[in-house]
Amino acid sequence: GQFYPNPAENEANMVVDLAAGENYIVSIIDQSGRTVHTSTLQAAGKIVYTVNTSRLASGIYTVVFDNDNQRIARKMIVK
C-alpha cells in the first residue's frame, strides 16, 4: 500500500488491495482534518489508484478508502 512517487508533484499512484465488487468512498484529507477531495470507486481486487495532486498545496495528506467492511488509510506527501 505504498504511494509512488512520494513526495508527489503532479500525481501519486498507490497499489491497494480492495474487496472485489465493493463500492468505496475515497477521501483525501489535509493536515487540518479538512476533506479536500471525495470520489467513489468500484473496487476490483488489487488496483493502482492514481491521485491527481497538481491542485493540492504542499503538505501531508491522508488518503482513505472506506466502505462498510473495510477502511484503509495511507499517508501521501505532496511537494
Side-chain angles (χ1 to χ4, degrees), residues 62-75:
T62 304
V63 180
V64 179
F65 298 83
D66 203 1
N67 75 3
D68 292 337
N69 303 311
Q70 187 178 27
R71 181 182 172 90
I72 298 171
R74 297 284 185 267
K75 295 278 186 221

Side-chain angles (χ1 to χ4, degrees), residues 15-76:
V15 178
V16 62
D17 199 0
L18 302 174
E22 299 262 348
N23 288 314
Y24 286 81
I25 295 172
V26 182
S27 303
I28 300 174
I29 302 162
D30 69 12
Q31 289 175 287
S32 66
R34 188 171 59 98
T35 300
V36 295
H37 175 80
T38 304
S39 62
T40 56
L41 173 68
Q42 174 91 32
K46 190 174 243 181
I47 63 161
V48 176
Y49 185 77
T50 301
V51 178
N52 179 347
T53 60
S54 63
R55 293 188 177 140
L56 297 176
S58 297
I60 299 170
Y61 295 84
T62 304
V63 180
V64 179
F65 298 83
D66 203 1
N67 75 3
D68 292 337
N69 303 311
Q70 187 178 27
R71 181 182 172 90
I72 298 171
R74 297 284 185 267
K75 295 278 186 221
M76 174 180 71

